[in-house]
């Protein structure tokens, strides 16, 4: 079938090409910038195995794993947001809505503050906290069906509840709060190949699951009644996709901390550019998520060098105004 | 032959009982209209028949099989349902919306076949949308949008189509357009139609059977001549009327409530 109009196809092609170019550019820029100067020539020599000095170590064991982890974190958060925005039929949905932020935050903070000598347990604790909280919210909101508004309200209520625990922790152990600041803002500092291995399976699962789910997301957007009329097992599909989104976000925050905003703005920006068809929105969001985090983290490393900002802070600084600009532009047209 | 039926159907929302013990059966290849005042349970009945709402008691049968024992996609291959005023993102192109109608015929990873393509093409032609295929839903008039939804339901290739107020918001021209389309599909493909209608005259013109509901029960059930009488209209709607008969088609003139 002539699936798409010419102008749509052209726009997708252009956006796709631009996206891949940006991804490549982001990768190169991120590799060569930093406290140790690495030239493009060095980079090529290192990747081809010709050069194996100190620079090799910096590139292969410090920068590369950090860049790749960042890209996967971005992909996972963007996919998660794109799925949730479609399932909840709400363009403002993000992984925080299903409790990922609150759950991961509380569990990770509890480990960092109460068990400071066990910081290696932070990622699994954050993961469990995020996923369990989303499950709890889903079942609290379930009433013969998972109604978006109920989900959102249950999410807000549970986030406030868990937030109270977090506030209590910060007050009772105010001397130890310092160590949690970076994690709470979302940071890729010191990420290694271990973190790449931790997040990679979820990125693959997410790309696969969301790729299959895109068709169902499109049908869900027609409303529950129409979707069921079209033979979709609405509640089962919603549950599976919500849990996939929770899993993706949980895996991202478990390695990078509470990196907000990516899951909200990336799918949104992507939708403004290529429209709401999830068969395209999903893969494009994934690519843009990776790009944005790579660029933001590069900026986080170099803008105030030798100090590093948490990448989440850069995201908010740059992402929020850009988002507002896009919104005002799209509402005018 | 009765191939679609509901037996002792009761249903409601939460503790609120709306439908009370409804038994109806529908013959293949007929058009039936459900009429009745606001809140009488017309949409609720349609939702139960299209399994969008689980009845609290009773059963819906398709070809003698209870639909509660069938999978969602198996039902969707036989029963198409359009709820009252459906909504969708405005940037969906018409042909994409129509293609969603093929969903019950597809497995998770199966691609769009030649048959799917031809069916979508046919549905767009049947509804006169072939020139609008690349327009987006938001760019259509109300009548065109309604036809696009009907095209989607047609692409499903159902044997029976349940429509909730398919002509609301449409001007007379578009009302006739939609109803004549249904009539055409009914005669050419044997499509069975059950629709909720508010316009009694259009309902009686296009359907061989009128089912009048009140307070969640079927008050009257029969052909236009039997149902559309001055007393019945007063019983159902509390409106005084005159029935005029012109060249064999009946129409009610409403005189007022006082
Ligand atoms: N989702 C719902 N939750 C609770 N009550 C509902 C719901 N939908 C309908 N009702 C109630 O059920 C009753 C029947 O509603 P229904 O929609 O079946 O009426 P209807 O005959 O289609 O009316 P209309 O002509 O206005 O469309 C009404 O009293 C309504 O208030
Ligand atoms: Mg109704």
């Amino acid at each position: 079938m002539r699936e798409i109009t010419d102008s749509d196809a052209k726009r997708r092609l252009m956006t796709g090409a631009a996206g891949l170019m940006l991804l490549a550019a982001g990768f190169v820029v991120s590799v060569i910038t930093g406290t140790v100067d690495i030239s493009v020539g060095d980079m090529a020599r290192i990747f081809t195995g010709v050069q194996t000095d100190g620079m090799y170590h910096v590139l292969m064991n410090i920068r590369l794993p950090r860049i790749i982890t960042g890209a996967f974190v971005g992909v996972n958060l963007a996919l998660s947001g794109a799925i949730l925005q479609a399932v909840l039929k709400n363009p403002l949905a993000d992984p925080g809505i299903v409790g990922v932020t609150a759950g991961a935050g509380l569990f990770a903070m509890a480990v960092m503050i109460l068990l400071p000598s066990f910081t290696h347990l932070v990622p699994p604790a954050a993961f469990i906290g995020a996923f369990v909280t989303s499950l709890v919210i889903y079942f609290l909101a379930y009433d013969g069906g998972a109604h978006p508004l109920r989900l959102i309200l249950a999410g807000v209520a549970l986030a406030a509840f868990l937030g109270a625990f977090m506030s209590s922790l910060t007050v009772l152990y105010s001397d130890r709060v310092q160590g949690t600041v970076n994690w709470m803002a979302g940071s890729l500092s010191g990420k290694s190949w271990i973190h790449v291995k931790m997040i990679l399976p979820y990125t693959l699962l997410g790309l696969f699951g969301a790729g299959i789910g895109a068709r169902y997301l499109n049908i869900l957007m027609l409303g529950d009644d129409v979707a069921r009329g079209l033979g979709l097992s609405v509640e089962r599909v919603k549950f599976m996709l919500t849990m996939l989104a929770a899993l993706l976000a949980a895996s991202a925050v478990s390695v990078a901390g509470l990196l907000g905003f990516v899951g909200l703005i990336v799918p949104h920006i992507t939708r403004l550019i290529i429209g709401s068809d999830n068969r395209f929105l999903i893969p494009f969001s994934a690519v843009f998520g990776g790009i944005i985090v790579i660029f933001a983290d590069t900026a986080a490393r170099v803008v105030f060098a030798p100090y590093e900002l948490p990448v989440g802070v850069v995201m908010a600084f740059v992402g929020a105004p850009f988002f507002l600009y896009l919104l005002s532009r799209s509402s005018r047209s | 032959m009765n191939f679609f039926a509901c037996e002792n159907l009761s249903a409601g929302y939460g503790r609120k009982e709306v439908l009370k013990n409804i038994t109806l059966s529908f013959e293949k290849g007929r058009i039936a209209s459900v009429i009745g005042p606001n809140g009488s349970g017309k949409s609720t009945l349609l939702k139960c028949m299209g399994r969008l709402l689980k009845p609290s008691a009773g059963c819906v049968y398709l070809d003698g099989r209870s639909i509660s024992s069938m999978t969602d996609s198996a039902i969707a291959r036989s029963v198409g349902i359009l709820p009252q005023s459906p909504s969708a993102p405005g940037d969906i192109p018409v042909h994409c919306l129509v293609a969603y109608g093929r969903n019950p015929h597809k497995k998770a990873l199966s691609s769009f076949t030649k048959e799917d393509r031809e069916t979508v093409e046919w549905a767009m032609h049947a509804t006169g949308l072939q020139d609008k295929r690349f327009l987006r839903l938001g760019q259509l008039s109300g009548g065109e949008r309604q036809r696009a939804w009907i095209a989607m339901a047609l692409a499903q290739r159902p044997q029976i189509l349940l429509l909730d107020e398919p002509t609301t918001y449409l001007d007379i021209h578009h009302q006739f357009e939609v109803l004549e389309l249904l009539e055409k599909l009914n005669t050419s493909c044997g499509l069975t139609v059950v629709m909720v209608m508010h316009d009694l005259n259009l309902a009686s013109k296009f359907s061989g059977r009128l089912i009048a509901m009140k307070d969640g029960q079927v008050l009257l059930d029969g052909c236009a001549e039997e149902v559309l009488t001055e007393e019945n209209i007063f019983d159902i709607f509390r409106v005084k009327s005159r029935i005029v008969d012109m060249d064999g088609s009946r129409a009610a003139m409403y005189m007022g409530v006082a």
Side-chain angles (χ1 to χ4, degrees):
Chain A
M1 187 171 70
R2 269 186 296 154
E3 275 278 50
I4 38 184
T5 62
D6 285 350
S7 69
D8 278 354
K10 212 159 132 200
R11 174 187 289 229
R12 280 177 202 136
L13 207 67
M14 303 274 284
T15 314
L20 292 180
M21 261 155 34
L22 273 175
L23 190 62
F27 180 81
V28 173
V29 169
S30 192
V31 163
I32 63 176
T33 45
T35 31
V36 178
D37 263 327
I38 301 180
S39 70
V40 178
D42 293 331
M43 184 181 110
R45 276 192 292 281
I46 290 169
F47 281 146
T48 49
V50 182
Q51 191 173 335
T52 52
D53 53 2
M55 253 180 220
Y56 176 92
H57 171 73
V58 169
L59 198 161
M60 295 305 270
N61 295 327
I62 298 176
R63 279 196 202 154
L64 205 53
R66 177 173 181 159
I67 295 168
I68 295 176
T69 306
F72 287 167
V73 164
V75 168
N76 288 13
L77 288 174
L79 282 177
S80 175
I83 294 171
L84 289 172
Q85 288 177 10
V87 169
L88 301 177
K89 294 179 199 74
N90 189 330
L92 291 179
D94 80 340
I97 272 190
V98 286
V100 166
T101 315
L106 177 61
F107 277 52
M109 190 180 233
V111 170
M112 286 185 282
I113 285 182
L114 302 176
L115 309 165
S117 50
F118 292 92
T119 45
H120 62 282
L121 289 182
V122 167
F127 185 90
I128 292 170
F131 195 66
V132 168
T133 309
S134 348
L135 269 178
V136 169
I137 287 176
Y138 204 92
F139 286 108
L140 282 179
Y142 198 88
D143 176 30
H147 192 271
L149 190 60
R150 285 178 64 91
L151 259 175
I152 290 167
L153 291 177
V156 169
L158 206 63
F161 183 67
L162 297 183
F165 280 96
M166 273 199 261
S167 304
S168 315
L169 278 178
T170 51
V171 171
L172 295 177
Y173 296 88
S174 50
D175 52 322
R176 298 187 190 170
V177 168
Q178 192 55 37
T180 68
V181 169
N182 247 332
W183 194 90
M184 283 294 165
S187 167
L188 289 163
S189 167
K191 296 304 158 200
S192 63
W193 290 109
I194 298 171
H195 299 100
V196 175
K197 280 193 203 131
M198 269 167 52
I199 196 170
L200 176 65
Y202 296 101
T203 303
L204 294 178
L205 176 76
L207 287 170
F208 181 72
I212 293 181
R215 218 185 84 208
Y216 301 121
L217 288 174
N218 276 348
I219 290 173
L220 275 181
M221 295 208 307
L222 306 177
D224 288 4
D225 280 354
V226 173
R228 201 167 290 128
L230 289 173
L232 200 68
S233 304
V234 171
E235 291 312 327
R236 200 170 66 201
V237 168
K238 271 192 193 170
F239 177 73
M240 292 194 350
L241 287 168
T242 308
M243 287 304 118
L244 178 64
L247 213 57
L248 281 166
S251 68
V253 296
S254 73
V255 302
L258 300 186
L259 177 52
F261 224 48
V262 181
L264 171 67
I265 64 163
V266 170
H268 206 108
I269 289 174
T270 314
R271 191 177 300 105
L272 290 176
I273 300 174
I274 62 152
S276 66
D277 188 335
N278 287 286
R279 288 171 306 168
F280 305 102
L281 186 58
I282 292 281
F284 279 91
S285 293
V287 173
F288 288 148
I291 294 172
I292 282 193
V293 174
I294 288 180
F295 275 109
D297 189 46
T298 310
R301 282 195 287 126
V302 299
V303 171
F304 289 107
Y307 298 105
E308 245 187 49
L309 285 175
V311 59
V313 173
V314 177
M315 275 304 306
F317 262 134
V318 184
F322 182 60
F323 184 54
L324 289 175
Y325 160 74
L326 276 178
L327 271 186
S328 69
R329 221 192 53 171
S330 75
S331 60
R332 230 176 291 136
S333 66
Chain B
M1 189 189 88
N2 293 331
F3 84 116
F4 193 68
C6 44
E7 261 179 41
N8 306 319
L9 206 61
S10 297
Y13 304 93
R15 232 168 285 137
K16 180 176 167 159
E17 180 95 318
V18 176
L19 293 185
K20 293 152 199 148
N21 204 24
I22 291 191
T23 299
L24 287 168
S25 64
F26 297 90
E27 290 172 48
K28 209 170 201 142
R30 297 290 187 84
I31 298 181
S33 285
V34 181
I35 58 171
N38 291 141
S40 56
K42 305 181 296 296
S43 297
T44 308
L45 173 65
L46 218 67
K47 279 192 226 167
C48 281
M49 296 202 299
R51 60 80 179 72
L52 304 184
L53 187 67
K54 207 169 156 341
S56 53
C59 234
V60 177
Y61 295 95
L62 178 68
D63 272 330
R65 271 180 74 189
S66 162
I67 61 167
S68 58
S69 70
M70 298 168 68
T71 65
D72 285 317
S73 53
I75 301 167
R77 284 192 286 271
S78 298
V79 183
I81 177 162
L82 272 192
Q84 201 168 344
S85 43
S87 73
D91 70 345
I92 301 182
V94 170
H95 66 101
C96 280
L97 182 74
V98 180
Y100 292 152
R102 297 306 294 161
N103 185 62
H105 301 270
K106 315 254 64 158
K107 297 223 169 57
L109 286 170
S110 58
S111 60
F112 226 65
T113 63
K114 186 156 170 281
E115 187 197 344
D116 293 324
R117 229 168 288 140
E118 284 166 2
T119 311
V120 169
E121 211 50 45
W122 164 81
M124 284 191 297
H125 270 274
T127 48
L129 287 169
Q130 63 273 34
D131 298 332
K132 314 257 183 216
R133 69 177 70 216
F134 292 134
L135 289 185
R136 299 170 194 284
L137 283 192
Q139 297 170 319
L140 300 182
S141 76
E144 290 162 346
R145 200 170 309 141
Q146 188 65 27
R147 282 187 282 152
W149 284 106
I150 292 176
M152 183 198 79
L154 290 180
Q156 218 171 319
R157 279 307 208 159
Q159 296 171 283
I160 176 161
L161 196 52
L162 309 174
L163 302 165
D164 200 343
E165 301 191 19
T167 56
T168 314
Y169 306 125
L170 304 188
D171 66 32
I172 330 169
H173 180 88
H174 286 107
Q175 293 189 18
F176 269 90
E177 223 171 57
V178 165
L179 292 170
E180 281 173 6
L181 164 68
L182 294 173
E183 193 172 51
K184 198 178 84 195
L185 291 164
N186 171 260
T187 42
S188 65
C189 320
L191 181 72
T192 309
V193 178
V194 180
M195 56 189 180
V196 173
M197 291 285 287
H198 273 303
D199 188 317
L200 303 184
N201 296 336
L202 279 177
S204 66
K205 181 168 166 54
F206 284 95
S207 32
R209 176 180 179 192
L210 296 182
I211 298 162
M213 290 192 64
K214 191 160 194 188
D215 300 329
Q217 282 170 316
V218 174
L219 202 64
L220 299 157
D221 183 355
C223 65
E225 287 74 29
E226 293 163 335
V227 176
L228 211 60
T229 67
E230 286 160 17
E231 303 89 85
N232 287 343
I233 289 175
F234 190 77
D235 283 348
I236 305 167
F237 294 101
R238 301 279 148 208
V239 168
K240 292 194 188 117
S241 62
R242 290 272 161 72
I243 300 294
V244 289
D245 207 323
M246 262 190 302
D247 312 327
S249 68
R250 280 168 91 81
M253 302 250 306
Y254 309 116
M255 315 305 287
V257 285

